[in-house]
Amino acid sequence: MTQDAADGQTSSNDQEQDAQTRPEDRLAKAVRAAEQALIEFEIALETFRVEVENFSRLHHQKLGPMYARLDELDAQIAEARAAASGDPEDLRKAQEARAMVMPMPGVEELFHDWMDSDGLSPEAAAMLNDQPVRAPKRVRPSEEARKLYRELARKAHPDLAQDDDERARRDEFIARVNAAYGLGDADLLRELAAEWEAGPVPAEQPLSESEELYARLEWLAQRKELLTAVAKELEESAIGAMLRMAPEDPDRLLEEIAEQLLAQVAEREAKLSGLVQ
């Protein structure tokens, strides 16, 4: 038999086999493929969400004191102008500028250990003076943590549950997995992986009714649409947009922004000095 004839015979056999496959079996196969695709999409989305959250935390820790300093300088400049002119409009602008300055309790909560009882911590003050400072604590999952998270998400994802009790168990477990991943805790993720392997294995309930399969596909499509909207919101957020500008080296992006803010601080300090002299 020639190779072309053999290929033709194989193709014919495949077509006959497809023709003999029940429509429900083909639909069930499509459902399983859609489930796996959705899970992979959710894994990618959660990974990006953690990156955005961690970058946002680092952004506030490192740059927050500079933003606070700029707000305070803007308020002082506006107040100096109002005091010099006595103009009601200048007074209104000064009051608005002062209202923009974040109250100390909120700042302290935001900056964590970057604030002390006297205001800015030594690290934050050093940063404003363009001096070397201790870097803020960073949380960025390691490659091992990423791998463990992906494996756990694929195995324990709630979308793979066949009944409400199993979904509730998976929901609770995945919430713990997400929390551990958000902390970049590889040790805890390993413990969770061992816990899942030792846990009960749910009995598989093959889908046989076409109505159930179509309903499942419709739910998966709706879920994908919802997650797509969440992903778009993350990507279009200020922090998400910043992170996408430098995905390989976000620390360098923070340094560049810090340099720009320091220049703005110096400019406003010079302006204020000129107004109060």
Side-chain angles (χ1 to χ4, degrees), residues 66 127-130 257-267:
M66 298 186 189
M127 181 184 298
L128 290 173
N129 293 321
D130 200 19
I257 297 174
E259 291 174 1
Q260 296 172 7
L261 291 176
L262 285 170
Q264 293 177 30
V265 167
E267 178 186 357

Side-chain angles (χ1 to χ4, degrees), residues 123-269:
E123 290 84 358
M127 181 184 298
L128 290 173
N129 293 321
D130 200 19
Q131 298 174 358
V133 298
R134 173 178 56 84
K137 182 180 179 181
R138 61 186 297 164
V139 179
R140 185 170 297 163
S142 64
E143 285 301 318
E144 181 186 9
R146 291 168 183 264
K147 180 180 179 182
L148 288 166
Y149 169 72
R150 292 189 182 102
E151 291 175 352
L152 281 168
R154 293 185 182 108
K155 293 177 181 178
H157 202 283
D159 288 350
L160 297 177
Q162 299 296 333
D163 56 59
D164 291 341
D165 290 341
E166 177 63 14
R167 172 172 286 277
R169 183 175 82 92
R170 287 172 177 262
D171 280 335
E172 185 274 336
F173 184 80
I174 283 296
R176 292 158 60 199
V177 170
N178 288 341
Y181 181 62
L183 295 173
D185 193 334
D187 291 336
L188 181 53
L189 287 170
R190 281 193 293 270
E191 293 177 8
L192 289 169
E195 178 184 331
W196 181 259
E197 292 300 327
V201 179
E204 293 188 3
Q205 300 177 4
L207 297 173
S208 59
E209 296 295 328
S210 59
E211 291 81 6
E212 286 188 50
L213 294 170
Y214 278 118
R216 180 65 171 166
L217 279 177
E218 183 178 0
W219 182 89
L220 289 167
Q222 294 173 349
R223 177 70 173 165
K224 178 64 179 298
E225 184 177 354
L226 173 63
L227 293 175
T228 299
V230 173
K232 182 179 180 182
E233 182 178 352
L234 274 175
E235 291 175 351
E236 293 180 352
S237 67
I239 295 296
M242 289 172 61
L243 188 57
R244 287 189 294 111
M245 289 172 59
E248 301 301 326
D249 192 9
D251 292 337
R252 177 55 191 163
L253 178 60
L254 285 180
E255 292 174 4
E256 293 175 355
I257 297 174
E259 291 174 1
Q260 296 172 7
L261 291 176
L262 285 170
Q264 293 177 30
V265 167
E267 178 186 357
R268 282 168 172 76
E269 286 178 339

Side-chain angles (χ1 to χ4, degrees), residues 25 42 48-49 60 64-65 79 87 89 91 125-126 130 197 216 238 244:
D25 292 338
E42 290 198 50
F48 184 62
R49 187 196 66 77
H60 287 310
E79 288 166 348
D87 187 279
E89 180 63 17
L91 180 59
D130 200 19
E197 292 300 327
R216 180 65 171 166
R244 287 189 294 111

Side-chain angles (χ1 to χ4, degrees), residues 4-61:
D4 290 344
D7 292 342
Q9 183 65 38
T10 300
S11 177
S12 176
N13 291 339
D14 291 342
Q15 292 176 359
E16 291 178 2
Q17 185 175 0
D18 289 342
Q20 294 172 358
T21 302
R22 294 188 313 123
E24 290 84 355
D25 292 338
R26 293 197 296 272
L27 190 56
K29 184 177 180 180
V31 168
R32 289 193 295 271
E35 287 175 341
Q36 289 303 315
L38 181 64
I39 289 172
E40 292 298 326
F41 184 77
E42 290 198 50
I43 290 173
L45 177 58
E46 177 64 15
T47 299
F48 184 62
R49 187 196 66 77
V50 168
E51 287 292 329
V52 169
E53 182 178 295
N54 290 336
F55 187 73
S56 177
R57 183 183 302 114
L58 194 63
H59 175 272
H60 287 310
Q61 287 178 332

